[in-house]
Amino acid sequence: MFGKNQPVVSSKNIETIIGPSVKVEGDFKGEGDLIIEGMLVGNLTTKNNLKIGQGAVVEATVKANNAFIAGRVKGNITIKGKLDITGSAVIVGDIKAAMLSIESGALIQGNVSMPSGEAAHEEARTSVKKDSRKNEIESSEELPLES
Amino acid sequence: MYLYIYDSFLSDKKYTDLLSQIEKRVTDLGIKGRIARLSILKNMKELITDGIKSGVQTVVVIGNVQTFAKVINIVAGLDVVLGLIPVENDNKIAKMLGVPPKVLACDILASRIIKKIDLGLINNHYFMGQAELNNASVLIEYDGYSVRPTTVNNNITIYNFADRSVAPNSSPVDGVLELVITPIKSGVFGKKNVVGTVLPFSKIKISTEGEDQVSILTDEQVIMKTPAEVSVAPQKLRVIVGPERCFE
């Protein structure tokens, strides 16, 4: 979602950034895209895309539409669409995602489950497509005009 | 009907020419109105409430950033439109609203592009642009969670709206404020700002851990102290803006 071959969160779409110098505690609910580079303890829910950066530490139950994880997560993860886990990620908890990509080097301690049935896959594809389309539109808006 | 309020510092001789040029221009544009001058005996609230009773629909304030800060806190929520004529060239609020300085502002008033904008509210004080806490070790409480900076030196800024280069996502018509926490790190070439935290909100509480109070400075130079409750007052002010404003 946030990598080279995945849709990128455009700056227009970014609503919340938890920087590396901040610690958040409690029940965090976000409406828009969420980027975590710092520390979060509690529960984390967003209706949109989630990026957990390489230096981030999350001790929470995580729920998001699509997610990209490069940092450390301790807690169960539920992703409606696509979950990308990079080689630097350390996850201790159960993972539930409709689409999953794991880079070599990632450490996962927990159960990984994916919903079965055509309906579940269709829902996941729609969720990922919606996200890609949104980013394509935003990228085309940002293209410089050639004179 | 228009009510023009001149701040008390404009009684200085150096402003005489400017004021007569403004008066001439508003007459030419057909937006002439009643003139009231602030003094020790006449305060702004009294002038505005009396004006509204006698049918004033547009209050135009001529002054500086501090004058605008005062008037915002009086007209917020009232059934009047606010117009501004800045007498200095570098007026942040006027710039963000797209209002040029001095006589040029009269043309913006005459064009009457009116926007309903949000205001920020710190305890009982409204602010238009931003509020700032420097080097503060604070706890910020949202509904359901809390945020704490982990570095010692931070700039904490609350934006209602600001220049696009400073806070690209802030807007006075989106119904939210934006909290930005930027750690200050010292590098070889002095202090440098690094990746910050951006959290939109509609209501937060800011407090300090110990008994020390931290100052909160608004862009109108009004100082308040923690603990403070900060919230957005959506569409609280009807203001005349120019086409060069920094929001839609």
Side-chain angles (χ1 to χ4, degrees):
Chain A
M1 181 177 62
F2 297 85
K4 198 178 172 185
N5 300 318
Q6 291 91 30
V8 176
V9 173
S10 101
S11 60
K12 281 182 190 172
N13 211 20
I14 292 173
E15 287 191 6
T16 305
I17 302 168
I18 295 171
S21 65
V22 158
K23 184 182 179 185
V24 175
E25 282 178 290
D27 192 4
F28 188 99
K29 282 180 186 165
E31 294 285 324
D33 290 340
L34 173 61
I35 294 177
I36 300 176
E37 299 288 351
M39 193 173 181
L40 189 142
V41 179
N43 291 306
L44 166 58
T45 310
T46 177
K47 288 177 183 169
N48 231 309
N49 300 324
L50 167 70
K51 177 188 174 182
I52 297 175
Q54 201 168 341
V57 177
V58 175
E59 289 178 15
T61 303
V62 177
K63 284 180 185 172
N65 192 28
N66 296 298
F68 171 91
I69 300 176
R72 302 171 76 90
V73 180
K74 191 178 174 187
N76 296 336
I77 300 168
T78 308
I79 304 299
K80 205 175 168 189
K82 189 180 180 187
L83 170 61
D84 283 306
I85 300 169
T86 70
S88 60
V90 177
I91 298 171
V92 180
D94 295 341
I95 297 170
K96 196 175 172 187
M99 292 170 86
L100 185 61
S101 150
I102 306 173
E103 196 182 4
S104 66
L107 180 69
I108 299 170
Q109 289 181 344
N111 297 317
V112 177
S113 64
M114 298 177 84
S116 55
E118 192 52 37
H121 284 122
E122 194 51 45
E123 194 186 345
R125 278 188 214 109
T126 318
S127 176
V128 175
K129 266 185 200 168
K130 209 188 287 171
D131 179 49
S132 320
R133 208 178 301 130
K134 191 170 71 181
N135 284 295
E136 270 170 27
I137 294 164
E138 279 166 5
S139 312
S140 62
E141 280 173 357
E142 285 165 10
L143 283 175
L145 291 171
E146 284 178 26
S147 54
Chain B
M1 192 160 76
Y2 284 76
L3 170 66
Y4 289 86
I5 298 177
Y6 294 7
D7 202 342
S8 52
F9 72 89
L10 296 172
S11 57
D12 193 298
K13 271 184 186 173
K14 68 176 180 180
Y15 293 107
T16 311
D17 282 351
L18 175 64
L19 293 178
S20 54
Q21 282 171 28
I22 289 170
E23 284 164 20
K24 187 175 177 297
R25 188 66 189 145
V26 294
T27 309
D28 291 347
L29 291 165
I31 52 170
K32 207 179 157 186
R34 186 149 42 102
I35 293 172
R37 292 166 205 274
L38 294 179
S39 66
I40 303 165
L41 300 172
K42 284 184 188 172
N43 75 48
M44 196 184 274
K45 192 171 185 180
E46 208 177 303
L47 288 172
I48 291 172
T49 45
D50 287 351
I52 291 170
K53 277 178 200 163
S54 58
V56 166
Q57 287 160 332
T58 305
V59 173
V60 179
V61 176
I62 304 163
N64 56 20
V65 177
Q66 283 80 19
T67 326
F68 300 165
K70 265 186 265 170
V71 75
I72 291 164
N73 279 280
I74 296 166
V75 302
L78 294 179
D79 190 22
V80 281
V81 175
L82 178 67
L84 306 171
I85 301 180
V87 293
E88 75 269 70
N89 289 325
D90 192 30
N91 187 309
K92 272 188 193 171
I93 290 179
K95 268 187 187 172
M96 289 186 289
L97 294 172
V99 179
K102 301 174 183 174
V103 183
L104 293 172
C106 302
D107 294 67
I108 299 297
L109 291 179
S111 66
R112 281 193 77 85
I113 305 171
I114 298 167
K115 291 278 175 189
K116 263 188 178 179
I117 65 165
D118 307 335
L119 292 176
L121 182 64
I122 301 179
N123 294 336
N124 292 317
H125 181 85
Y126 289 107
F127 66 97
M128 202 190 270
Q130 66 186 62
E132 204 170 338
L133 294 87
N134 283 324
N135 284 341
S137 176
V138 294
L139 176 70
I140 300 149
E141 290 170 84
Y142 280 69
D143 184 20
Y145 63 96
S146 62
V147 178
R148 193 192 306 265
T150 52
T151 47
V152 181
N153 296 322
N154 301 282
N155 274 337
I156 300 175
T157 312
I158 297 158
Y159 292 105
N160 180 31
F161 70 120
D163 197 278
R164 291 247 184 250
S165 60
V166 181
N169 294 326
S170 68
S171 163
V173 288
D174 61 2
V176 288
L177 301 178
E178 212 171 56
L179 177 87
V180 178
I181 303 171
T182 317
I184 307 164
K185 295 226 168 150
S186 296
V188 181
F189 301 104
K191 285 179 181 177
K192 59 175 182 182
N193 286 338
V194 293
V195 180
T197 295
V198 181
L199 292 158
F201 70 94
S202 52
K203 193 177 184 181
I204 54 170
K205 278 182 191 166
I206 301 176
S207 55
T208 43
E209 307 241 277
E211 287 180 5
D212 292 343
Q213 289 185 314
V214 174
S215 299
I216 305 172
L217 181 72
T218 67
D219 51 2
E220 301 93 1
Q221 309 293 314
V222 178
I223 299 168
M224 274 154 293
K225 297 276 183 186
T226 55
E229 193 171 281
V230 187
S231 59
V232 66
Q235 303 195 340
K236 198 72 177 172
L237 187 71
R238 287 199 299 152
V239 64
I240 299 174
V241 296
E244 300 295 317
R245 65 188 176 275
C246 69
F247 58 95
E248 294 303 314

